[in-house]
């Protein structure tokens, strides 16, 4: 059975040792066993759990959402349909964020065109004056 000290686990998991401490403090990782010398000793299971957390984060899940899933999985109160529902909610949130960002992109393009235009909108002229920018 493979055992890791905090630094070793952090290196294997490609995270900072402080990240592990944070995950422990917030209940994402179980409290590790201690060696005879008092060092925290982590299992292979902890390495897999950190990989799961990092993966879930890269998919846009918050640490709060991840913790909720881990807690529910520990008492077997989460199933594949629950996981799929969480993924579908995350997809909807991402689609809304994309739409919001697309709207911002359109607004920025319009502002740029307006700034380059000879006939600027009066609001843009006022903004340039407030910012002490000559036309």
């Amino acid at each position: 059975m493979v055992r890791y000290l905090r630094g070793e686990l952090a290196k294997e998991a490609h995270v900072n040792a402080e990240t592990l401490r944070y995950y422990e403090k917030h209940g994402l990782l179980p409290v590790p066993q201690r060696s005879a010398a008092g060092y925290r000793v982590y299992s292979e299971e902890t390495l897999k759990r950190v990989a799961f957390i990092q993966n879930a984060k890269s998919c846009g899940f918050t640490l709060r959402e991840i913790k909720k899933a881990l807690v529910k999985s520990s008492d077997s109160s989460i199933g594949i349909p629950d996981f799929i529902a969480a993924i579908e909610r995350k997809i909807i949130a991402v689609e809304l964020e994309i739409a919001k960002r697309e709207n911002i992109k359109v607004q920025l393009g319009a502002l740029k065109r307006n700034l380059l235009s000879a006939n600027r909108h009066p609001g843009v002229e006022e903004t340039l004056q407030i910012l002490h920018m000559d036309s």
Side-chain angles (χ1 to χ4, degrees):
M1 181 184 264
V2 180
R3 296 283 190 199
Y4 303 95
L5 296 176
R6 179 179 281 157
E8 295 168 337
L9 179 67
K11 185 176 179 182
E12 281 294 314
H14 305 287
V15 298
N16 188 294
E18 288 305 311
T19 299
L20 298 176
R21 188 182 312 258
Y22 183 88
Y23 290 171
E24 284 174 39
K25 180 179 176 184
H26 289 86
L28 291 149
L29 295 178
V31 176
Q33 295 179 348
R34 297 275 185 164
S35 70
Y39 293 107
R40 288 176 172 82
V41 181
Y42 299 90
S43 67
E44 185 73 24
E45 182 63 32
T46 304
L47 178 61
K48 290 176 184 176
R49 194 171 179 131
V50 173
F52 165 77
I53 293 167
Q54 294 303 104
N55 229 357
K57 282 179 54 183
S58 74
C59 288
F61 289 96
T62 65
L63 290 179
R64 184 177 178 183
E65 292 167 328
I66 296 166
K67 181 180 178 181
K68 185 177 177 182
L70 289 169
V71 168
K72 285 188 172 192
S73 72
S74 68
D75 64 11
S76 300
S77 64
I78 188 171
I80 292 175
D82 301 310
F83 197 45
I84 289 172
I87 291 168
E88 287 173 348
R89 286 190 301 273
K90 191 55 69 176
I91 289 170
I92 290 168
V94 168
E95 288 171 345
L96 290 171
E97 184 64 27
I98 289 170
K100 180 180 172 184
R101 296 291 181 163
E102 284 294 327
N103 185 38
I104 291 170
K105 182 179 173 184
V106 168
Q107 289 177 356
L108 288 169
L111 177 59
K112 179 181 173 185
R113 283 188 303 279
N114 204 320
L115 284 168
L116 296 172
S117 170
N119 301 319
R120 293 186 183 126
H121 184 277
V124 171
E125 286 295 338
E126 286 178 20
T127 299
L128 291 174
Q129 289 173 0
I130 291 168
L131 295 174
H132 303 289
M133 293 183 185
D134 294 329
S135 341

